[in-house]
Amino acid sequence: MLKTRGRPRYDQEDAGAAETFRGIGEKIQLNRDNAAPLWVQLRNQIEEAINTGVLAANSRIPSEQALCDFFGVSRPVVRAAIGSLSNGGRVIKMPRKGMFVAAPREHVDFMTSNLSVFGDLTAKGHFVSTRTFEFYRCPPSEKESSVFGIPETGSVVRIGRVYMTDGAPITLTHISLPGHKVPGLETVDIENRSVFQTIRERYGLTVLRAERWFTAAMPTLEEAERMGVAPTTPLISIESIAYDADGAALEYYQALYNSSVARIHMSIEQSSSTNG
């Protein structure tokens, strides 16, 4: 049986987390004779502490070195265990802040509905906030001109913002709107407001349907910084075109979505007339 007792060398920052881990350390037993590798044993038992509520959501996890000292194992063992928990969405690594137990993941239905991320999560009772980093009118790019069917002499309104649910960044989105349909929008205060709601109330514009495409993506250093994730964090890239009641493109956006904050939910129903 691997000995896991003794006072570890925690720094002041990890003192609170150390007390919590000291309690669960009485129950965690790592056995070198077990067929399962040490990192798997450590990972599974930490996850069990999360599942049973012993480690509460959003609680801080001590540093890798502190965990090494506490459980009497090497850094590769701890790194593999925490890395696996992080990849599974059970632990969040925040650059320059530390490691934390992830809150239970909600899901969003905006992928298959007419609601936005803002509207879907708000409807579920979450506090949704935004951080806008760009908001201006300019000539359209070739892609925007093609999507909206406007000439190069026309304009688009671009909005770059990070959406957060209960304080956790969930998407980084670049939104484009056809300028002739939203005159003066760039002068409106849209912070912490849904873009769809704003254009509906101000211009009477509503979205009837949307087409969306998904790919895997890695963030740039700037994108990772804005979303508060490591540059090695895998994200979901979304490209979307939303159409109004007349079938005209009303919104084009490209987004990076962090599925460790909220899963994507899709409901598929087979028609009774379908054979197969």
Side-chain angles (χ1 to χ4, degrees), residues 107-108 115-130 163-166 192-194 197:
H107 65 260
V108 295
L115 289 173
S116 61
V117 178
F118 196 109
D120 185 75
L121 291 171
T122 299
K124 286 183 169 66
H126 294 276
F127 174 72
V128 181
S129 58
T130 63
Y163 290 85
M164 292 166 285
T165 174
D166 301 325
N192 295 323
R193 284 178 56 83
S194 164
Q197 180 182 349

Side-chain angles (χ1 to χ4, degrees), residues 135 137 157 183-190 202-203:
F135 186 21
R137 182 178 293 266
V157 173
L185 177 63
E186 67 275 17
T187 66
V188 176
D189 182 8
I190 62 169
R202 191 174 181 87
Y203 306 104

Side-chain angles (χ1 to χ4, degrees), residues 141-210:
S141 66
E142 183 177 345
K143 177 68 174 181
E144 291 165 332
S145 181
S146 174
V147 168
F148 297 125
I150 56 179
E152 294 180 359
T153 54
S155 70
V156 293
V157 173
R158 292 179 183 166
I159 305 168
R161 64 193 337 194
V162 175
Y163 290 85
M164 292 166 285
T165 174
D166 301 325
I170 185 171
T171 64
L172 186 153
T173 308
H174 293 276
I175 302 169
S176 297
L177 302 168
H180 63 283
K181 291 190 176 184
V182 289
L185 177 63
E186 67 275 17
T187 66
V188 176
D189 182 8
I190 62 169
E191 202 64 37
N192 295 323
R193 284 178 56 83
S194 164
V195 172
F196 279 178
Q197 180 182 349
T198 300
I199 63 175
R200 182 175 65 249
E201 294 176 352
R202 191 174 181 87
Y203 306 104
L205 299 172
T206 58
V207 170
L208 180 64
R209 67 183 181 89

Side-chain angles (χ1 to χ4, degrees), residues 11-267:
D11 57 26
Q12 188 64 34
E13 186 179 28
D14 284 328
E19 291 306 312
T20 300
F21 266 81
R22 193 179 306 284
I24 69 169
E26 297 299 322
K27 299 179 180 180
I28 290 182
Q29 298 292 321
L30 304 180
N31 188 346
R32 293 187 185 277
D33 297 325
N34 193 301
L38 289 178
W39 76 266
V40 173
Q41 296 179 49
L42 182 59
R43 178 214 181 280
N44 291 345
Q45 293 186 65
I46 291 178
E47 184 173 44
E48 177 64 18
I50 294 173
N51 291 338
T52 57
V54 174
L55 285 176
N58 303 314
S59 61
R60 184 181 178 84
I61 295 175
S63 66
E64 287 184 357
Q65 185 56 56
L67 292 176
C68 290
D69 294 340
F70 188 80
F71 294 111
V73 293
S74 65
R75 186 177 288 268
V77 169
V78 168
R79 185 164 293 169
I82 296 298
S84 177
L85 289 168
S86 176
N87 291 337
R90 308 313 307 273
V91 168
I92 297 175
K93 295 181 178 180
M94 302 183 69
R96 298 187 299 278
K97 292 184 179 180
M99 301 182 293
F100 301 85
V101 175
R105 291 189 293 176
E106 295 286 343
H107 65 260
V108 295
D109 297 287
F110 81 98
M111 301 302 175
T112 52
S113 74
N114 293 327
L115 289 173
S116 61
V117 178
F118 196 109
D120 185 75
L121 291 171
T122 299
K124 286 183 169 66
H126 294 276
F127 174 72
V128 181
S129 58
T130 63
R131 184 170 64 247
T132 302
F133 55 86
E134 62 180 22
F135 186 21
Y136 61 95
R137 182 178 293 266
C138 66
S141 66
E142 183 177 345
K143 177 68 174 181
E144 291 165 332
S145 181
S146 174
V147 168
F148 297 125
I150 56 179
E152 294 180 359
T153 54
S155 70
V156 293
V157 173
R158 292 179 183 166
I159 305 168
R161 64 193 337 194
V162 175
Y163 290 85
M164 292 166 285
T165 174
D166 301 325
I170 185 171
T171 64
L172 186 153
T173 308
H174 293 276
I175 302 169
S176 297
L177 302 168
H180 63 283
K181 291 190 176 184
V182 289
L185 177 63
E186 67 275 17
T187 66
V188 176
D189 182 8
I190 62 169
E191 202 64 37
N192 295 323
R193 284 178 56 83
S194 164
V195 172
F196 279 178
Q197 180 182 349
T198 300
I199 63 175
R200 182 175 65 249
E201 294 176 352
R202 191 174 181 87
Y203 306 104
L205 299 172
T206 58
V207 170
L208 180 64
R209 67 183 181 89
E211 295 183 9
R212 291 177 174 134
W213 298 265
F214 311 93
T215 57
M218 301 296 287
T220 64
L221 290 176
E222 182 179 48
E223 290 167 340
E225 178 74 19
R226 282 177 170 157
M227 294 195 72
V229 299
T232 55
T233 302
L235 301 173
I236 299 174
S237 174
I238 307 168
E239 185 176 10
S240 172
I241 303 176
Y243 300 87
D244 62 20
D246 296 324
L250 180 59
E251 179 204 51
Y252 172 68
Y253 78 69
Q254 293 177 297
L256 288 176
Y257 183 85
N258 187 355
S259 61
S260 68
V261 175
R263 298 174 297 176
I264 295 172
H265 172 250
M266 299 181 70
S267 178

